[in-house]
Amino acid sequence: MGARKQVDAPPAEFAEAVTQLRGARFRPEVFVEEMPAPQRIAPHAAAVSADVTIDGDDVATGRLVVLYDPAGNDAWQSTFRCVAYVRAAVEPEMVTDALLGGVGWTWLMEALADRGAEYLAPSGTVTRVVSESFGGMADDDATAEIEIRASWSPVPGPGGLVDVTKHAEAWGEVLCTAAGLPPVPPGVVAMPTRRGQRGR
């Protein structure tokens, strides 16, 4: 059994990345928990999901997957890749704004820059969705959402290690921005990740 555990043990670089992901801090409105990671994209993967709740209502949701391939990946330009998803409700009139897509992408770029989370090969899409009701549901108000799907490769820091914490916290900030939360005032410390309890 001991030899089997040794064989199955994840590489040290990935194990450290998972520890950093679990140690990321988010605002109290953000509930984060671990979720099953996709198994076929890379040899090693870890994932978390999140919901942003304001006044008892879930206004944004998302997930972050950290991929690791010790052999490297030409498309990633790295051994690590972050894959993020954010979905949030917005006012229906916002969806008609042609600039909304670019604004959504800027949220991610600025969040990464604010945390000093350097990256390579960013790519992604920003989708605007409007739902209107008809027939027996005609009295229901129209709803609108913005969806951000993005991936990027974290740049290793000193010692060749990737600081996944910065990238996870940047994703958390995009969730909050998309949800319409104001920026955290300087000096205010975010809360540790909460798992297994909503406390709501």
Side-chain angles (χ1 to χ4, degrees):
M1 288 294 290
R4 172 76 181 191
K5 289 183 179 179
Q6 185 66 30
V7 170
D8 291 345
E13 295 87 350
F14 178 70
E16 175 62 23
V18 172
T19 298
Q20 292 174 351
L21 181 62
R22 290 171 175 166
R25 293 174 174 265
F26 302 95
R27 292 174 59 157
E29 298 90 348
V30 183
F31 174 81
V32 180
E33 58 186 348
E34 294 183 32
M35 63 176 287
Q39 299 298 310
R40 299 183 179 181
I41 303 176
H44 304 279
V48 293
S49 64
D51 293 311
V52 180
T53 304
I54 302 176
D55 297 329
D57 295 325
D58 287 341
V59 294
T61 188
R63 58 182 176 269
L64 178 68
V65 181
V66 177
L67 305 173
Y68 177 68
D69 186 342
N73 185 304
D74 291 340
W76 300 354
Q77 302 178 29
S78 175
T79 55
F80 277 97
R81 188 76 172 171
C82 291
V83 181
Y85 171 73
V86 171
R87 187 181 77 235
V90 297
E91 295 297 328
E93 55 268 25
M94 290 181 63
V95 177
T96 61
D97 188 343
L99 300 178
L100 182 59
V103 169
W105 186 254
T106 298
W107 291 339
L108 174 61
M109 298 295 100
E110 290 183 347
L112 289 167
D114 288 346
R115 280 159 180 74
E118 297 185 32
Y119 56 88
L120 295 169
S123 65
T125 62
V126 179
T127 304
R128 296 168 286 173
V129 180
V130 178
S131 298
E132 298 181 78
S133 302
F134 300 92
M137 301 173 63
D139 291 336
D140 293 352
D141 293 333
T143 60
E145 295 179 327
I146 183 173
E147 294 184 349
I148 303 170
R149 301 174 187 271
S151 64
W152 65 93
S153 301
V155 174
L161 295 177
V162 168
D163 188 348
V164 171
T165 301
K166 294 179 180 179
H167 297 267
E169 291 175 352
W171 162 74
E173 188 58 30
V174 175
L175 273 167
C176 293
T177 301
L181 290 173
V184 175
V188 175
V189 178
M191 300 297 291
T193 300
R194 295 172 291 161
R195 294 186 176 84
Q197 59 179 4
R198 283 188 175 269
R200 306 200 193 288

